[in-house]
Amino acid sequence: MTARRLAGTDLAARIRAEVAERAAARRDAGRPARLVIVTATDDEASAWYVRSIASAAGKAGLDCDVADLGTAATADDISARLAGLSADPAVDGVMLQTPLPPGVVLADVSGAIEPAKDVDGANPVSLGRLAVGLPAYAPATAAAVVALLDEYAVGLAGARAVVVGRSAVVGKPLAHLLLDRDATVTVCHSRTRDLAEVTSTADVLVAAVGRTHLVTPEHVRDGAVVVDVGTNPTADGGLAGDVDPAVAEVAAALTPVPGGVGPVTTALLLKNVVD
Ligand code: NAP
C-alpha cells in the first residue's frame, strides 16, 4: 500500500483567501486587523516561524508587528507587555512565541493574554474552556490537525485516535478537540510503556513529539490515517517529521512534512485574528 498524501496546501490557501477578503473589509471600514507577536528568544527556528507568520499576515492584508523583548526579559516584563497589548483597542490578536528565556514558564505568563485576543490558545483559561466545551480559541496547530482530517473526510466519531505528545500547545488541546468530535482518545508521552503496542490500536494516529522519524511502520496499524505534526530541522536546512516515510507503506493516508499541518496552522492563526 502507498498512503494517500494528505497535503494541507490547498486547504490553507482557501482559508487565507477567506481571511484576505475579511481583512480587506476591515481595512475599508477604517481599521486593519492587527496581530502582535511577542518574542523573547534568539532561537533561529522560532525566528523563521515568526517571519513566516508575518509574511503570510502581510499577504492576507493584516497588520503584524513583532515585539521582541530580548532574551533577558523576565516573567514580569513579558506579562506586562502581554497585558498592555490585551488592553490596546488597536490590537486584535496577541501571540506569545516560544521558547521563553530560561526560568520563565509559559503557563505563568500566558494568563496575561486576554482570552478574546488569545489567537493561539495559550492562556490556560482558553485550554480550560476548550476542555469543558465552551467557546475558546484552540491552539492553531491542534485546530489544524482536525481541519486537515475534515478536509479529507476522515471520520472521527467512534474512531480510535492516539495522540503521541501531551504538550499544552498541541497534544492536550488536540485530545480535547478529538474527544469533542466523539473519537475515543488515548494520549501517549515519554513515559508510555510499549508505545508501539498503544499506537498500533489507532485508526487515527497523530505524532506531535519533536523527534525525527520516531514513528515507524511497527507503530502503525495497516490502513490507519497518520498525521505528522513534527517539524524537526535537518542538517541540510530542511524539515523532517516525527513519522518515518516508510510508514507510507502501511498507512492508508499520511500528511507530508513540510506541506501538511504547517500551512494550515498559519492560516488558522490568521483566521483567528479576523474572527
Ligand atoms: P514538546 O512541548 O516538546 O512536547 C513533546 C511531547 O512529546 C511531550 O509530551 C513528550 O512527553 C513527548 N515525547 C517525547 N519523547 C517521546 C517519546 N520517545 N515517546 C513518546 N512521547 C515522547 O513539543 P510540542 O511543542 O508539542 O511540539 C511537538 C512537535 O510539533 C515539534 O516537532 C514541534 O516543532 C512541532 N510543532 C509543529 C507545529 C506545526 O504547525 N506544524 C506547531 C507546533 C509544534 P513528556 O510530556 O513525557 O515529556
Side-chain angles (χ1 to χ4, degrees):
M1 183 190 301
T2 294
R4 181 175 184 204
R5 189 172 182 274
L6 307 185
T9 38
D10 288 354
L11 171 61
R14 288 205 311 279
I15 298 168
R16 287 198 308 267
E18 181 205 320
V19 169
E21 211 170 284
R22 293 171 60 195
R26 278 285 299 269
R27 201 169 272 278
D28 291 348
R31 186 173 75 72
R34 182 162 172 239
L35 167 68
V36 180
I37 306 173
V38 174
T39 66
T41 176
D42 53 12
D43 178 73
E44 250 316 299
S46 166
W48 180 88
Y49 183 53
V50 169
R51 279 196 302 272
S52 77
I53 295 170
S55 154
K59 285 182 193 152
L62 274 72
D63 285 355
C64 178
D65 296 323
V66 178
D68 182 7
L69 306 189
T71 53
T74 64
D76 285 348
D77 298 334
I78 296 170
S79 295
R81 182 61 73 96
L82 294 173
L85 292 166
S86 293
D88 183 345
V91 174
D92 300 285
V94 180
M95 179 183 155
L96 175 61
Q97 177 62 27
T98 56
L100 297 171
V104 180
V105 176
L106 177 64
D108 288 343
V109 292
S110 57
I113 305 174
E114 163 66 36
K117 297 187 180 182
D118 186 19
V119 288
D120 203 23
N123 187 328
V125 168
S126 299
L127 183 55
R129 290 179 64 92
L130 206 66
V132 294
L134 289 172
Y137 291 114
T141 308
V145 171
V146 176
L148 204 48
L149 291 169
D150 284 346
E151 168 79 352
Y152 290 96
V154 176
L156 291 173
R160 282 172 199 264
V162 176
V163 179
V164 189
R166 59 172 164 182
S167 72
V169 288
V170 192
K172 280 179 186 156
L174 177 59
H176 289 299
L177 293 176
L178 292 168
L179 261 181
D180 230 37
R181 298 292 299 275
D182 298 322
T184 301
V185 182
T186 303
V187 181
C188 300
H189 45 79
S190 65
R191 305 288 296 273
T192 296
R193 258 198 318 265
D194 200 346
L195 183 67
E197 186 183 76
V198 183
T199 56
S200 56
T201 64
D203 302 313
V204 176
L205 174 60
V206 183
V209 179
R211 308 240 156 155
T212 304
H213 302 171
L214 174 88
V215 173
T216 61
E218 68 152 2
H219 293 84
V220 179
R221 188 177 66 69
D222 271 9
V225 173
V226 181
V227 179
D228 190 350
V229 178
T231 49
N232 307 294
T234 57
D236 62 1
L239 277 186
D242 288 346
V243 178
D244 185 333
V247 163
E249 299 310 315
V250 287
L254 173 62
T255 65
V257 175
V261 175
V264 182
T265 299
T266 307
L268 285 179
L269 180 73
L270 301 183
K271 180 174 179 298
N272 285 347
V273 179
V274 291
D275 281 350

